[in-house]
Amino acid sequence: MNPASPQTRAAPTPTAPPKTATSETATATSESATATSESAQRLQALRRELAGRGLDGFLVPHADEHQSEELAPSAERLTWLTGFTGSAGSAAVLAERAAIFVDGRYTLQARQQVDTALFEPRHMSEQPLSAWLGEHLGGRRLGYDPHLHSQAQVRRLQADCRRAGGEAVPVESNPLDTVWHDRPAPPAAPVVPHPLDFAGRPSAEKRAELAERLGAEKIAAAVLTQPDSIAWLLNVRGGDVTRTPLPLSFAILRDDATVEWFVASAKVADPQLAEHLGNGVALRPPEALGAALEALGKRRVLADPGSAGAWIFDRLADGGSEIVEGDDPCLLPKACKNAVELEGARAAHRRDGAALSRFLHWLEEEASNGSLDELAAIERLARFRAAEERFRSLSFDTIAGSGPNGAVIHYRATPATNRRLKSGEFLLVDSGAQYLDGTTDVTRTVAIGPVAVELRQRFTRVLQGHIALARQRFPAGTTGSQLDALARSRLWQDGLDFDHGTGHGVGSYLGVHEGPQRISKLPNAVALRPGMIVSNEPGYYKEGAYGIRIENLVAVVEDARPDDEKPMLAFETLTLAPIDRSAIEPSLMSGEELAWLDAYHARVRKSLSPLLGEADRRWLESATAPLQRE
């Protein structure tokens, strides 16, 4: 996704031709009927295949062999079977019934995309798979693919099936792949070096540091299964996954700092790559991984049960290894960005903020005439970003939800769902880009013309939560789950909430979602550390009416002050873009909150003005002017 990368720049999303409400409804109905017919046929074919194998059911996760969130087309099994295109979920299929399990971000989307006569939609935490199996599995055999489930997931699945009176059965080959006759080929994009000017640390230095830690724990080797960990460790990038510059691969890191890298030969044919990797990295074909795991023998081997496929543990056990279960050793050092990566993130956000400001100015001028729709807005924003220096691609497909579409948390506009922007409504735009020096992710909710008091009040409550989190100092050792309530407290006071996490980690020209840190209601033992980048994105969604989300990326920084009795941390806001002042109810805000917003807008104005032309600069001055309490 960069000049040195095999990935091409994202092609602009085509703008749908103007449609009447009748034609949009007819198109959506036709597409829905086609999808329903295909899902029924595919579900029937899978059930026939299962019966032929002596299985009573099968579990289909949204996952690949690396437990990735973003999948290559060849791994989109859940989408192929159900029509659901979200980034998290699973389907359970039995002979007489099936269900799809999604989290709170996707409950509306699942009901819109999936034939609920075929798959019962369920909230994965409130109506979990374990309860469904308890109701329906009985004494039957549920198949699963051990390549697509982590060791921890398989253990839970086995326990759930036992409690239900049944059995979880690993399969040698995936039965869904057998009936997916036009399944795309696996990706094979070239791998390229990620320059030290952007990575900040040589690969050899990273490998030596991790190897020293392995040696201190008398661990002979660590199995690496997450592509972003390997890309970070080896300072490489690729193009196997849309919107994320990753080569799909596996690796074994040894305590002498050498690496066996299991990657398709077609991806690593460039002679410059061999020079970049050096003698400490040996290339192996992916199909050699199983034998290599067994060949580790009776050594102590580290593998992450939360991300490594269950089959990895089986092969290590077959070879007699002493398996040490622990976190991927790359996770924390990758999450804690070095000084070069942090400076790159700041620079990328300045350029990204300039592109977003141009878009917001354009949107304000064009939306008033009533001809603009979601797809047109998406296409124009992509064009503004693509013109920026070091741009390589979007970091995910832009979410642009107008009116009720904004209430679908991970909405994706299509010609069938495309909606005109209307005065008096909100447009929620969640977008980001991949630059050579950083990854961005930003959400702005924009009022199209004057909006009702209710919308302004709830926008303000979301903004107050955003400000509370952005301003908070906290002791070293604090986790994101301890801070999450700050972003929700003003919503809670009004009896409101949002059904997603407040913040996720973000990579450095890597994944737009990165662990192990997060800010969420869900318990998380990983403390926030200096150098981590995380999102601050509270929201509110009223089904059938509108959605609100305000998202900035922030970096965790040290914040020592003379009277502190313990080491303290704070957030440095990286994202630079105006927050819509017309959507705010100033009377609800405190003096401190207004001061924060004015100071943020002053920083946005100072940082971005030199990057803008005269007309955009004048607009930015107005959009970031101090907000007065009425």
Side-chain angles (χ1 to χ4, degrees):
M1 299 183 183
N2 57 67
S5 166
Q7 300 189 56
T8 58
R9 297 189 177 199
T13 304
T15 303
K19 296 180 180 179
T20 64
T22 302
S23 67
E24 287 185 6
T25 302
T27 302
T29 302
S30 174
E31 291 188 3
S32 176
T34 301
T36 296
S37 175
E38 286 184 345
S39 291
Q41 294 171 9
R42 293 169 179 178
L43 182 59
Q44 185 180 38
L46 176 60
R47 283 172 167 154
R48 285 197 300 266
E49 179 67 21
L50 294 176
R53 297 188 184 201
L55 293 171
D56 301 299
F58 192 66
L59 189 59
V60 182
H62 182 277
D64 61 7
E65 294 82 355
H66 311 278
Q67 298 300 305
S68 305
E69 180 181 36
E70 299 299 326
L71 305 181
S74 58
E76 290 281 9
R77 297 175 177 89
L78 185 62
T79 298
W80 180 84
L81 181 65
T82 68
F84 173 67
T85 62
S87 63
S90 63
V93 176
L94 294 174
E96 76 289 353
R97 70 181 70 244
I100 184 166
F101 301 83
V102 298
D103 64 34
R105 297 171 297 169
Y106 294 117
T107 51
L108 292 179
Q109 182 176 332
R111 290 201 296 270
Q112 291 173 354
Q113 293 182 326
V114 177
D115 183 353
T116 57
L118 300 175
F119 296 92
E120 175 193 356
R122 293 174 68 103
H123 192 295
M124 64 171 58
S125 59
E126 297 173 3
Q127 304 165 296
L129 173 65
S130 57
W132 190 85
L133 292 174
E135 295 170 14
H136 304 299
L137 182 62
R140 294 184 287 183
R141 291 159 45 88
L142 180 72
Y144 68 91
D145 186 339
H147 293 81
L148 305 183
H149 300 267
S150 71
Q151 178 77 335
Q153 290 170 337
V154 166
R155 286 172 178 162
R156 288 193 294 270
L157 178 63
Q158 290 171 334
D160 291 342
C161 288
R162 282 196 299 271
R163 281 193 293 270
E167 179 186 5
V169 181
V171 298
E172 293 275 336
S173 62
N174 194 306
L176 188 147
D177 293 351
T178 301
V179 299
W180 186 0
H181 300 301
D182 58 350
R183 183 184 173 208
V191 178
V192 297
H194 187 50
L196 189 59
D197 288 348
F198 303 120
R201 295 182 65 196
S203 171
E205 183 180 303
K206 297 177 184 179
R207 288 185 275 119
E209 180 181 293
L210 296 188
E212 183 178 354
R213 295 179 186 176
L214 294 178
E217 298 182 32
K218 296 181 170 51
I219 294 173
V223 182
L224 306 180
T225 64
Q226 298 189 68
D228 60 336
S229 289
I230 298 167
W232 171 85
L233 181 65
L234 301 181
N235 285 346
V236 296
R237 298 296 187 265
D240 287 342
V241 182
T242 304
R243 312 302 195 201
T244 308
L246 292 176
L248 298 180
S249 63
F250 295 90
I252 298 175
L253 169 66
R254 297 179 182 270
D255 59 0
D256 62 359
T258 61
V259 168
E260 287 184 273
W261 189 17
F262 299 86
V263 58
S265 59
K267 301 180 187 181
V268 291
D270 186 346
Q272 290 186 346
L273 183 63
E275 181 180 348
H276 167 79
L277 294 171
N279 295 329
V281 179
L283 301 178
R284 303 281 187 264
E287 57 270 19
L289 176 59
L293 294 172
E294 292 184 3
L296 290 171
K298 300 187 181 301
R299 299 178 177 88
R300 282 168 54 85
V301 180
L302 174 66
D304 189 339
S307 59
W311 78 277
I312 299 255
F313 290 80
D314 294 339
R315 296 300 289 268
L316 288 172
D318 290 345
S321 290
E322 179 185 345
I323 302 173
V324 179
E325 296 191 359
D327 292 337
D328 178 333
C330 299
L331 286 183
L332 271 178
K334 173 169 59 70
C336 298
K337 310 298 184 286
N338 60 53
V340 171
E341 290 173 318
L342 285 173
E343 191 52 45
R346 296 182 184 106
H349 279 87
R350 285 192 294 271
R351 297 193 305 275
D352 198 67
L356 186 55
S357 294
R358 294 186 187 99
F359 166 77
L360 292 172
H361 179 200
W362 170 86
L363 180 67
E364 183 177 292
E365 292 187 338
E366 296 294 323
S368 59
N369 63 25
S371 64
L372 197 61
D373 60 28
E374 294 165 342
L375 289 177
I378 290 169
E379 186 272 340
R380 182 54 66 100
L381 179 53
R383 283 167 53 187
F384 281 124
R385 280 203 167 99
E388 292 297 325
E389 183 184 4
R390 295 176 178 169
F391 173 87
R392 295 301 171 259
S393 82
L394 303 181
S395 53
F396 55 96
D397 290 335
T398 297
I399 298 166
S402 169
N405 287 344
V408 181
I409 297 173
H410 275 201
Y411 168 72
R412 181 176 298 179
T414 69
T417 65
N418 188 29
R419 191 173 182 278
R420 290 193 187 281
L421 279 52
K422 298 179 181 179
S423 181
E425 295 185 340
F426 277 149
L427 173 68
L428 187 156
V429 182
D430 188 347
S431 65
Q434 295 285 6
Y435 300 93
L436 261 176
D437 49 356
T439 300
T440 68
D441 181 6
V442 50
T443 306
R444 290 294 181 263
T445 303
V446 182
I448 306 301
V451 295
V453 171
E454 178 191 308
L455 276 69
R456 295 199 308 274
Q457 289 176 338
R458 295 190 177 178
F459 182 97
T460 304
R461 293 310 190 201
V462 172
L463 176 59
Q464 289 173 305
H466 179 97
I467 292 172
L469 185 59
R471 295 179 61 233
Q472 186 64 46
R473 301 178 74 223
F474 48 94
T478 300
T479 66
S481 54
Q482 291 174 293
L483 299 177
D484 180 77
L486 291 168
R488 302 177 189 269
S489 60
R490 299 310 295 264
L491 287 167
W492 286 350
Q493 293 283 57
D494 290 354
L496 309 171
D497 201 359
F498 54 94
D499 196 4
H500 59 72
T502 298
H504 57 83
V506 177
S508 179
Y509 187 40
L510 279 173
V512 75
H513 287 176
E514 176 182 86
Q517 75 277 19
R518 66 171 181 261
I519 301 174
S520 170
K521 290 179 180 179
L522 298 174
N524 182 11
V526 178
L528 297 171
R529 302 188 183 193
M532 288 181 169
I533 294 177
V534 66
S535 65
N536 172 4
E537 51 178 312
Y540 171 74
Y541 312 90
K542 186 171 184 178
E543 184 175 352
Y546 58 88
I548 302 165
R549 188 159 63 250
I550 302 171
E551 176 186 18
N552 286 344
L553 297 190
V554 298
V556 181
V557 296
E558 295 178 348
D559 190 39
R561 300 182 189 179
D563 295 333
D564 291 343
E565 296 184 355
K566 55 180 58 181
M568 299 295 291
L569 304 175
F571 292 123
E572 172 194 346
T573 297
L574 298 174
T575 303
L576 297 167
I579 294 169
D580 190 353
R581 295 160 65 256
S582 72
I584 299 172
E585 192 68 44
S587 62
L588 297 178
M589 297 181 68
S590 69
E592 287 185 336
E593 290 168 339
L594 286 170
W596 182 94
L597 181 64
D598 288 344
Y600 173 71
H601 274 157
R603 181 175 162 229
V604 169
R605 186 167 60 251
K606 180 179 179 180
S607 299
L608 302 187
S609 290
L611 305 179
L612 300 173
E614 182 61 28
D616 291 323
R617 188 160 52 245
R618 286 197 304 269
W619 174 86
L620 183 66
E621 289 174 359
S622 174
T624 58
L627 189 66
Q628 301 298 321
R629 184 198 298 268
E630 295 178 1

